[in-house]
Amino acid sequence: MPPLVWRYKPNHPEYVEPAMIKIRIHQRALASVFTAALLSAGCATVNLETHVAQTADQALELASNEDNIETAQAYLLRIASRFQDQGNHTAARTLLQSQQLAQPAPELGNQKRLLAMASASALEDGAWAKEIAGEITPSTFIDYPADLIARAANLQADTFTLAGEPMPAAMTLILLAQTDNTADAQQIHDRVWSLLEQVPDSELSSASAEAIGYEAQGWLELASLVRTPDAGIDEQGRIIRGWQNNWPGHPAAQVLPSELKLIATLAESRPEKIALALPLEGPLATAGKAIRDGFLAAYYLDDSADRGETDIRIFNTAGTPFSDLYQQLSEQDIDLIVGPLEKEALAGLGSMNTLPVPALGLNYLPAGTMPAEGLYQFGLSAEDEARQIADRLAAEKLRQVLVLIPGGEWGDRVEAALLQRMATHDGVALDIERFYREDNLRAVTADLLGITVSRDRAIQVERTIGMDVEFEPRRRQDADAIVMVAEPTVARQFKPLFAFYFGGDLPVYSPSIIYEGTPAPSRDRDLNGVIFTDIPWVLGDDNELRTRATDNLSGTRGQPGRLFAMGADAWHLSKRLPLLRQVENASISGQTGVLTMTPKGSIHREQLWAQFRNGVPELIPDPVSEESEPETTDQETVPVSE
């Protein structure tokens, strides 16, 4: 039998083939054996210009034995690029951060930088990005060949952004727009504006004073003007249009960033003929009238409202099928319908595919329901408050909680929202007690805190040993906090019972239902220590609308006052619905909280926080969320309030 002749097949590195026999060998093992063989032979047969390493370690080992440093570095860069093409940025990083590429040859420096920026961005390696950013300026990308300029500039902007330096990232893209006339101007301008929004005021001010060049000066002036203190959305629109007139030849004046274009044209897109459709009779009449009064009060105090053009018509929805009323209104010259308030009526609108006339519903569809196109939803959602409580618990690292929630459909929705948001933070509800007003609240509290279980255990012990034992019940020790969803009269009974059953040391969190809306120190003293969330209308500083409404109108305190505030926010939302939907992270600072919109047109609210002290609510700071603690470069909310 003739001897076996072993042949290495470059095109099939996972195989070693004897004559007529094919033996499969693990790819990495073969690569190591082959590398060792080549090295032992002095590497005379390895052509680094064509060789393809299978691992980063193999590439580094082969390169380390190459006498020509530039050849070795070029080889490592070629293999790093190949790893990137395969999506293996971790292996590419190993090569690019190796000691062998610490000082690349001058003609290889740009190539190494381009590859490093690509992998740092792909891996979101902030530390590496900061290192790279320290070695470049906004104009560095101009040194690349014409066919690489756009790629280099975008990677450079990505690197500066990842390094937490939005200003040089923006300047890079401003230079790109000047350099590459084939680039998408709208896309670049949108990104430049997004970056400038992230620049702190002090840095923006100093950069504006030092800016050189027509394009840079114009961008920075625009960014500074839009940040004018107390400039509402209407004033911002005037500022943007004025800037365009002053800088007619500026690229951004000709192609405004999408967000600014929307703000500048907001006045043109505002609804002029509004139908306010509310129940003014029947069981919901009090709520309907409060919302109506708040809507009209906000309208008359809004200096930006065009009294000559705006036409508000009020329709009573009580006793009339809303589908019939909507049909009538859609046939009239109506731009926007504010309403309905009734859940059933809103569900009827939600079942349609598209609304011929947009509607701002004053309630919410059931969870999971796909709304019709043109339907917006806004209300005093208890689910928003439940989610905000869950977020605060997570921020304060309170993972295991005990929960008290009223029985019924409303309580079901609150419980579902609370548990869903807690689950996203790895929080756990150790026990949930559902109760009704007429229940024995002592027993409910004892069950919640584990006292009942402790007593039952003692009774079982007595029965087992046949004699009485001295026993002092103990509450469960695994709870971090209590979430108490209860109206004031019930909450004032629960809170002292927590202390009675040895749970007085547990922090207690509640939604706004716990507070009647008017300070009552003697009655609310039992609620001392409870932390709760409520709307700015109730907890915030005085403002003109609240002062004048309180002085001249009844029904602006307590729950009617919350509905009045909701009506006021409905007016301001009516002017900004397209803005909230189309501008990412846009918000309105309203009377019911900071208002944002989901992609499906649902308005969410972020409220204030307070704690009962001496029977009176005192504002406390918002917690710092866990997500925001390690990072400070998250996109900021875009304020569009007045």
Side-chain angles (χ1 to χ4, degrees), residues 324-345:
D324 294 346
L325 177 60
Y326 182 84
Q327 183 63 35
Q328 296 172 22
L329 294 175
S330 63
E331 295 170 357
Q332 300 179 27
D333 188 17
I334 297 293
D335 298 324
L336 176 69
I337 297 171
V338 178
L341 176 62
E342 303 90 336
K343 269 187 172 293
E344 298 78 9

Side-chain angles (χ1 to χ4, degrees), residues 27-140:
Q27 178 178 344
R28 180 173 293 182
L30 177 59
S32 299
V33 170
F34 178 63
T35 302
L38 291 176
L39 293 176
S40 65
C43 295
T45 61
V46 178
N47 183 352
L48 294 187
E49 293 182 0
T50 58
H51 181 265
V52 177
Q54 302 304 309
T55 68
D57 289 342
Q58 182 190 10
L60 290 170
E61 191 168 1
L62 286 171
S64 67
N65 287 276
E66 170 60 49
D67 294 334
N68 188 310
I69 295 177
E70 186 173 337
T71 299
Q73 290 180 339
Y75 169 70
L76 291 177
L77 292 175
R78 180 171 62 82
I79 300 303
S81 178
R82 189 169 188 273
F83 284 143
Q84 289 183 351
D85 292 341
Q86 296 170 347
N88 189 355
H89 285 277
T90 301
R93 176 171 58 187
T94 299
L95 298 183
L96 295 167
Q97 292 185 333
S98 67
Q99 189 61 36
Q100 295 181 55
L101 284 175
Q103 294 182 331
E107 52 270 32
L108 298 177
N110 281 348
Q111 183 185 0
K112 181 206 169 180
R113 185 184 303 111
L114 193 70
L115 295 174
M117 291 190 296
S119 284
S121 299
L123 296 171
E124 297 184 353
D125 189 333
W128 193 12
K130 288 180 180 179
E131 180 183 327
I132 299 170
E135 301 170 352
I136 59 178
T137 67
S139 62
T140 297

Side-chain angles (χ1 to χ4, degrees), residues 492 512 514-525 527-535 538-540 562 608-620:
R492 293 177 190 127
S512 63
I514 197 175
Y515 184 46
E516 291 175 338
T518 303
S522 59
R523 286 183 296 170
D524 289 338
R525 202 172 299 276
L527 298 177
N528 280 347
V530 174
I531 296 170
F532 72 102
T533 179
D534 210 331
I535 64 175
V538 172
L539 295 177
R562 293 185 174 97
L608 300 178
W609 284 98
Q611 185 174 31
F612 283 104
R613 293 170 182 158
N614 297 318
V616 177
E618 292 186 11
L619 279 175
I620 59 176

